[in-house]
Amino acid sequence: MIKDAELVEAEVPQFLALLYLKSGPNEVGIKVWNVDPDTGKLTSTIGMQAIPPNAPGNSPVNLKRVPKSRELFASSGFGSPSTFNKIYSFKIQDDGSVTVIGSSPSGILPNTVTPNISGTNVYATITSSTTNVYLYQKDTSGNLTQSTLSSYPFGTYCSPSSLLVSQTERNIFITNPSYLSIYQQDTSAGTVTIGSGSPLPIAASPTLNDNLTLHPTRNYIYTTIANIAAPIAGFIYNQDSTASAIQGSPFTPSGSYSATTSSTKTLTIDPYGRFIAFVYSDASGNRLQLLKINSSTGALTPSGFPIGVGNAPGDLTWDESGRFIYFFSDTGAASSEKQLEVYKVSSTGELTSTPGSPVILGTISSFSPRGIVSVTKTMKVKPGEYP
């Protein structure tokens, strides 16, 4: 029998949250499922929940989670009036209901948002006549106030598609249609400077869908790019925000990869840094592929064979426990329904579709998923039960 003293802490799957926009009538909301931590089967909590600003014309563009918490951030956009345009923070309750914690000042249209690991700081790229990076800080009431640090807001390159910060917040990463830019932040002095060599040229344009991911323990960063032959670019970065390409980058997902155009693609990283998951559409169909990460070099090699998935896969998420992968796809022209696919991942990288997957969400014409996050809880488990 395992004694309590022998148990170890691990992140265990609890909820899955979906940000959506639907019509007939128009509604912006969050849908929450319970996740069976062993099988990955999803069961509904209290249904779809409208969230502010549930206003005609609003088009939410981001959903992010504070690690090891139930706190979520979502940014709205293009609502009418512009007072609806904010960054909102939410919390998932025990029963799966969603409550509003606070919001930012109104009238902003973020391209991307990302919180720090504690949720006290939220970074956003906002475009008006120019593109700038803003820092918002959470006050005691839960609302977000714009930072008064002299370096914020600071200008960056136009049309940003992804924004990330390192765990220490010393490095800020931004992709736009031509470059990867890395900024160095001195959190004590409040200064931000662009790294030497940035913006970094990439073999092809970084793709959209927020496709930028950091290795959890190594200084590796990966992004999908519009390169037909090799659609994944990888870099090694330094604390001073200088960077260089990982040897062998850009990478191809498998020997059978045969894209003829810049096709749908999205990636995410295993929270333990062992694998990258990549979904794509190529000449042979729609595929999910794992690639093994060389911990010493950051190089990627295909693990196993690609498996067939639904049409136009995207918005890929790997839960913090390391057990499950989630993404959206659709059923194709015959029925034209959006769906949610769930796969269980073994410690060796084997993929198995979970019970009840895929979950039908709604018709393409009336239901638009805008983001998905997995929510875990910290529990005591048997050694080796989780990676």
Side-chain angles (χ1 to χ4, degrees), residues 21-93:
L21 172 65
K22 70 176 183 177
S23 59
N26 286 352
E27 181 178 286
V28 172
I30 292 178
K31 163 72 175 176
V32 178
W33 290 269
N34 288 306
V35 180
D36 185 296
D38 295 318
T39 68
K41 184 176 182 179
L42 304 180
T43 55
S44 292
T45 54
I46 62 173
M48 294 186 179
Q49 304 164 68
I51 58 170
N54 188 25
N58 180 48
S59 182
V61 293
N62 283 274
L63 183 66
K64 296 293 176 69
R65 173 198 172 219
V66 177
K68 298 184 179 181
S69 81
R70 297 184 190 176
E71 187 176 357
L72 313 177
F73 289 97
S75 61
S76 60
F78 306 106
S80 179
S82 62
T83 51
F84 287 127
N85 299 329
K86 300 180 180 182
I87 301 170
Y88 288 84
S89 59
F90 304 93
K91 186 173 183 180
I92 300 177
Q93 304 300 322

Side-chain angles (χ1 to χ4, degrees), residues 76-379:
S76 60
F78 306 106
S80 179
S82 62
T83 51
F84 287 127
N85 299 329
K86 300 180 180 182
I87 301 170
Y88 288 84
S89 59
F90 304 93
K91 186 173 183 180
I92 300 177
Q93 304 300 322
D94 290 343
D95 63 355
S97 61
V98 178
T99 55
V100 179
I101 299 174
S103 65
S104 69
S106 62
I108 62 171
L109 289 173
N111 307 95
T112 59
V113 298
T114 192
N116 66 353
I117 60 173
S118 64
T120 54
N121 291 336
V122 178
Y123 298 80
T125 57
I126 298 173
T127 300
S128 52
S129 57
T130 59
T131 300
N132 293 285
V133 179
Y134 284 74
L135 172 61
Y136 292 91
Q137 296 170 316
K138 188 165 65 175
D139 62 24
T140 54
S141 67
N143 286 313
L144 299 174
T145 58
Q146 186 174 328
S147 172
T148 57
L149 293 175
S150 59
S151 289
Y152 287 93
F154 65 86
T156 189
Y157 294 88
C158 64
S159 303
S161 54
S162 299
L163 167 68
L164 286 178
V165 294
S166 61
Q167 291 189 13
T168 61
E169 296 181 76
R170 184 170 180 176
N171 303 105
I172 302 171
F173 308 87
I174 301 172
T175 55
N176 78 333
S178 300
Y179 306 108
L180 166 65
S181 300
I182 306 179
Y183 297 83
Q184 183 178 10
Q185 178 170 229
D186 184 328
T187 53
S188 59
T191 58
V192 179
T193 55
I194 193 166
S196 174
S198 282
L200 296 161
I202 302 179
S205 298
T207 56
L208 298 177
N209 298 328
D210 210 18
N211 284 325
L212 188 65
T213 189
L214 291 170
H215 193 282
T217 59
R218 304 279 183 167
N219 287 4
Y220 306 144
I221 186 166
Y222 303 92
T223 184
T224 55
I225 57 176
N227 184 316
I228 293 174
I232 305 172
F235 294 87
I236 302 173
Y237 68 92
N238 303 304
Q239 292 300 305
D240 63 0
S241 292
T242 57
S244 59
I246 293 172
Q247 185 174 1
S249 176
F251 302 98
T252 188
S254 74
S256 62
Y257 184 71
S258 58
T260 55
T261 61
S262 177
S263 57
T264 300
K265 55 183 74 76
T266 182
L267 61 74
T268 189
I269 197 166
D270 162 25
Y272 296 93
R274 304 162 301 174
F275 301 100
I276 274 183
F278 181 72
V279 289
Y280 60 91
S281 302
D282 71 1
S284 63
N286 306 286
R287 303 284 183 260
L288 167 62
Q289 172 74 60
L290 293 191
L291 296 97
K292 188 171 180 59
I293 302 171
N294 184 313
S295 62
S296 299
T297 67
L300 306 179
T301 54
S303 175
F305 299 96
I307 60 175
V309 298
N311 187 57
D315 288 285
L316 187 63
T317 297
W318 204 319
D319 86 326
E320 204 171 0
S321 77
R323 276 199 172 179
F324 302 110
I325 290 173
Y326 309 91
F327 59 91
F328 302 127
S329 62
D330 65 62
T331 56
S335 55
S336 298
E337 291 182 303
K338 277 289 185 183
Q339 60 187 13
L340 171 64
E341 299 193 50
V342 187
Y343 286 84
K344 187 173 184 177
V345 189
S346 73
S347 59
T348 57
E350 296 173 327
L351 296 166
T352 308
S353 182
T354 61
S357 175
V359 177
I360 300 299
L361 300 173
T363 62
I364 292 175
S365 59
S366 64
F367 192 93
S368 176
R370 295 304 177 95
I372 190 166
V373 294
S374 169
V375 178
T376 56
K377 58 182 176 181
T378 304
M379 294 182 63

